[in-house]
Every structure is written in C-alpha cells, then in structure tokens.
Amino acid sequence: MSNLDRQAGVSVCGGRGFVVAEPVRELLTPRRVQLGESTEVRRLLPNLGRRMVGAWAFVDHYGPDDIADEPGMQVPPHPHMGLQTVSWLHDGEVLHRDSLGSLQQIRPRELGLMTSGRAISHSEESPKPHARFLHGAQLWVALPDAHRHVEPHFQHHTDLPAVTAPGLTATVILGELDGAASPGTAYTPIVGADLALTAGAEARLPLNPDFEYAVLSMSGEAQVDGVPVVAGSMLYLGCGRTELPLRADSDAGLMLLGGEPFEEEIVMWWNFVGRSHEEIEQARSDWMTSARFGDVHGYDGGRLPAPALPPVALKPRGRVR
C-alpha cells in the first residue's frame, strides 16, 4: 500500500535512543488519512511520539468498511525501496500487481509479503466483483543496510503456523513466536502475529525480553497488560518483557508487532526508506523520469505521481524517549 499523503513529511527514524528499555504502557492515537475515494486509514506508525517498533516502520489500519456499492481500495502503481510491505486482511480481498509481473489475490489471513529491495513498483485494488466488507492492516518493515539493495521479490503464503492456548490462536505472520516460525523471509530479528481471542479468554503470551513490542487492536474489546485497547489504536509496550497478559471482554482481534530495536537511523519519506535526504531525492527523481522502478501492467489507470519533497536536507539528530 502507498502512503498517499500529498503533504508527506520526511522522518528520521530508528536508532536506539528512542527505544524504551523497560516495560511501559504507551497508548498511541492514530492519524486519519484518506486512501483513494472510499478507504480511510488510521495511521499508527510513524507517530508523533513513536517512529518504529523494532524494524516495523509503518502501520495503517483500515475498516471494516462497507464497500458493497463502492470501488473499495484503489491504489495506483507507485514505487518502494528499502523496505518490505506486509498485507494482512481480516475481511475482503486485495489484488496485488507489481513490476516483476506478480499478480496475486490476497485473502483474509494470507500473507502478502513484498520485498522492495533496491526498487519495485506495485498497485493494490479491490477486485471486481468484491466482498462487501474490507478490513485489514498494511505494514512496512525497514530493511537493514546489509540487505536494503537486494533484488526485489514477492511472496504469498496461505499456510502459516499458529501458537494456541485456551481461547487464543496466534498466527505467526513474520518472524518467530514461541518456537513457531513464519515462512516469510525476514531480514532482522522480528515478530508479527495475528491474535484471535474468544470472549472471556485470558492468556499470557511468551515474549523475548530483548525485543520491543506493540499491540494493534483490529476489532472487539480486549485488555493488554491491563490496558483497554480499542479497535484502531495501538499500545506500545517497550522492552524487557518475558510475557504479555491478555484478556478479551468480547471476541477480539489483535496484532502483536515486535523485534530487536533497529539500530540504524533511516530517512523515510513517501514510499521510500533510505539513509540520506540525497538518496530520497534521487529515488523521487528516478520514479518520475527513469525506468528504475519498472512498470506495473494490467492496472486500469495511470501511475501515482510523487509529491513535492521538502527542500531542507535532514541531518541525523539525537533521539529522546
């Protein structure tokens, strides 16, 4: 999914100075962003107070939206570099096309994982015809310097491992959780898991104390470490935890996101993750003037033009908690 914000700001993210090295309970409020004609997303990362969680650098939650009489998701061809996109649905379908020639319909609880590496472009749209409801999350994972120029590739996995307990099913989307490992390619120590809880369930999920974590609420009513987390919000949990208490007041859907704190500072703007303002500027120019990102064939419409890049070059700066 693209960041369609035409006033996209440049963010310096990463670095351990922004990591809270102890357990905390920091509730993040989303920013609402319009995505096309009929889809509004709630943007949780980057957030004014929290830029990354491990290598997770971007989180949008959308729906559930009734799109029976709407076009649904319509994201024209757009570029990416230096990151992975993770598509995760609870309702509906999304048709993915990319400049490698991939054409894949992604359905609920199937992993669509695109590694942009040095450069790729793709589009996403609700197929015709499509289901009545659309509900999901789109997430980005920053690639470390050693792997950010890899050849681009796309993976689609329908059979994902799960960790279970009474009233809880934790499907491992990316990375590893309690010994269960996703087949999706990861380039940093990371975890992403979909948590489905039944009403009244209480569980304690094992965690890695070296990771920082956050929990995104997708639906229902649940308490995370005693904190009520309503749908569309995210609770940042810091580091140093060995387990996470969960309680469901109704049937609830959550996403657990975590990973080893990302040591490198990155520059993120629009749909690019780089290491300098100059690198971002070159990527924007290449999207507008060259064939670096390739072409997406089959999408009914033109590609997405890049917004104007802020003229002031960013310099590394210290991070605060």
Side-chain angles (χ1 to χ4, degrees), residues 34-56:
Q34 194 67 31
L35 191 71
E37 297 178 5
S38 57
T39 304
E40 182 184 75
V41 302
R42 291 165 287 279
R43 185 152 298 161
L44 283 310
L45 287 181
N47 192 288
L48 182 62
R50 182 65 46 197
R51 297 295 185 182
M52 297 180 72
V53 177
W56 299 100

Side-chain angles (χ1 to χ4, degrees), residues 7-73:
Q7 303 297 322
V10 186
S11 298
V12 175
C13 308
R16 287 182 176 266
F18 211 14
V19 176
V20 181
E22 60 187 7
V24 295
R25 302 174 187 86
E26 180 182 303
L27 195 61
L28 304 182
T29 302
R31 179 169 65 95
R32 296 182 180 273
V33 177
Q34 194 67 31
L35 191 71
E37 297 178 5
S38 57
T39 304
E40 182 184 75
V41 302
R42 291 165 287 279
R43 185 152 298 161
L44 283 310
L45 287 181
N47 192 288
L48 182 62
R50 182 65 46 197
R51 297 295 185 182
M52 297 180 72
V53 177
W56 299 100
F58 182 95
V59 176
D60 273 356
H61 172 246
Y62 54 91
D65 295 324
D66 187 340
I67 60 169
D69 300 317
E70 302 287 345
M73 183 181 292

